[in-house]
Amino acid sequence: MAKQKQLFTVDYKNEDDLRQILPATPSYNSHHLGWKGIDFQYHEQPGGEMPENRTNQHLISITFPSGSGTQERFLDGQRWVGSVEDRQISLVPANLCHRAIWNTLVRVNILILEPQYLADLAHESVDVDRVELRPILNILDPVIHNITSLLRLESQSQNAQSLLYVDGLTTALSAHLLRNYCTTPQQFRNHEDGLSKAKLQQAIDFIQAHLTDAVSLEDIATELGMSRYYFCRLFKISTGISPYQYLIQCRIEQSKYLLLKGQMSTAQVAVEVGFADQSHFNRHFKKFVGVSPRQFLI
């Protein structure tokens, strides 16, 4: 009796694994940026075949073909044959068998989402043991597309200081997946009162104490003893802005003080208050203040 071939399990963050299943490795990715629970990859794959495999991570792919072509995909017993269309989205849950064949150059955005990170999004409401995503092939979903596009821009910027912003996007994406693509759709409790005064002050104190750090939503939520989803939601109800916007606002206020002191250059101030570089600082300063740092000093 022939021994059954063991299915190859791929770690999508490992390029050696990807070389065994794809014609080309990613053009760029976010692996080195320290994002929590999610990574982004951009691929340009010539026509070819991906052998059957599975991964321990959830995969979301969005295709952008360079020309007309066809594809054949197999996912957990489903078979799909058709043309390669712009912005087609597929969701491959962790541990499901997947195989694909295509005959044209395809540009692909891929999100790699850790299952535990998704399941832990809102432990106050979500039954962690019942979080199971449905396999989806070639649909259109503007929410997933828009969030993925923003994550791609952050990956291209190579800005390791944007962790809180990326966390906000990942939180929105995760909530969307739990509501719409679970085998058992998850419901979130409604909270309209925001954080208590004590919890809000605790969050503000934590953010201000880590003004120049690459602080994450998980860091702040853990400090407050709550989930990422509910902290992000209740903070915005209490303040009118997201935790990331509040962090940037605090950095801008500190930068104004340092600029007026006149002891540092604009570039030095940018780094001192936690921005990746002067360009990143100038862009946010003008957005919040209405003028550039140089105009502010005139």
Side-chain angles (χ1 to χ4, degrees):
M1 185 176 178
K3 186 177 179 180
Q4 188 174 6
K5 185 179 178 181
Q6 188 173 4
L7 193 63
F8 182 46
T9 300
V10 180
D11 178 357
Y12 262 71
K13 298 179 185 179
N14 187 321
E15 287 203 1
D16 289 335
D17 281 6
L18 293 180
R19 287 188 182 96
Q20 297 189 54
I21 64 167
L22 291 171
T25 54
S27 301
Y28 59 86
N29 60 60
S30 67
H31 299 348
H32 62 290
L33 295 176
W35 294 2
K36 303 288 186 179
I38 198 167
D39 281 284
F40 173 87
Q41 292 178 353
Y42 173 70
H43 292 246
E44 292 190 358
Q45 296 293 345
E49 178 176 356
M50 181 180 70
E52 189 174 40
N53 68 89
R54 64 183 174 194
T55 176
N56 293 327
Q57 300 129 335
H58 301 312
L59 302 179
I60 298 173
S61 64
I62 305 179
T63 58
F64 301 90
S66 61
S68 60
T70 60
Q71 60 176 322
E72 184 176 13
R73 302 187 70 171
F74 303 84
L75 176 57
D76 193 37
Q78 297 183 57
R79 177 176 179 265
W80 188 95
V81 181
S83 59
V84 184
E85 302 289 344
D86 197 40
R87 301 185 180 187
Q88 283 178 328
I89 296 172
S90 294
L91 169 59
V92 181
N95 299 314
L96 290 190
C97 302
H98 182 220
R99 181 163 69 92
I101 305 168
W102 64 102
N103 65 2
T104 187
L105 174 68
V106 179
R107 300 177 178 88
V108 189
N109 292 335
I110 294 181
L111 295 181
I112 306 161
L113 185 61
E114 297 296 337
Q116 194 62 49
Y117 191 80
L118 174 67
D120 288 341
L121 174 70
H123 55 71
E124 297 92 340
S125 297
V126 174
D127 184 349
V128 174
D129 295 329
R130 299 182 69 186
V131 173
E132 182 180 348
L133 295 181
R134 295 184 286 112
I136 303 293
L137 286 178
N138 301 327
I139 64 165
L140 297 178
D141 185 315
V143 173
I144 293 178
H145 174 260
N146 291 339
I147 292 174
T148 303
S149 297
L150 292 171
L151 288 170
R152 175 178 175 173
L153 288 174
E154 283 305 306
S155 178
Q156 288 175 308
S157 74
Q158 303 295 296
N159 177 16
Q161 291 291 336
S162 64
L163 187 57
L164 200 56
Y165 175 63
V166 170
D167 279 351
L169 294 175
T170 307
T171 295
L173 173 67
S174 298
H176 182 71
L177 294 175
L178 291 175
R179 287 191 179 104
N180 297 282
Y181 297 105
C182 267
T183 54
T184 303
Q186 301 295 323
Q187 302 296 323
F188 296 92
R189 296 176 191 167
N190 290 323
H191 292 271
E192 298 180 359
D193 296 335
L195 294 167
S196 67
K197 288 184 179 179
K199 287 289 187 183
L200 178 59
Q201 191 59 52
Q202 187 181 2
I204 288 172
D205 290 344
F206 187 88
I207 292 172
Q208 292 181 340
H210 297 82
L211 201 59
T212 61
D213 300 334
V215 66
S216 70
L217 269 183
E218 187 172 8
D219 294 333
I220 310 171
T222 299
E223 179 74 10
L224 271 63
M226 57 200 312
S227 69
R228 300 187 311 276
Y229 174 81
Y230 282 109
F231 164 67
C232 195
R233 179 176 175 80
L234 298 184
F235 186 91
K236 188 167 186 177
I237 291 173
S238 296
T239 64
I241 57 177
S242 69
Y244 173 71
Q245 290 171 318
Y246 182 79
L247 174 70
I248 296 298
Q249 183 174 289
C250 289
R251 287 177 174 175
I252 294 299
E253 289 302 315
Q254 180 67 8
S255 73
K256 287 160 67 176
Y257 168 74
L258 293 175
L259 286 170
L260 291 172
K261 282 185 70 176
Q263 297 177 359
M264 295 181 181
S265 67
T266 303
Q268 289 172 323
V269 169
V271 174
E272 182 68 19
V273 299
F275 288 101
D277 51 45
Q278 187 172 345
S279 174
H280 188 222
F281 169 55
N282 287 347
R283 184 169 68 253
H284 282 292
F285 192 96
K286 188 167 185 178
K287 180 179 178 180
F288 276 82
V289 182
V291 295
S292 69
R294 178 172 293 184
Q295 291 169 325
F296 174 74
L297 290 174
I298 296 175

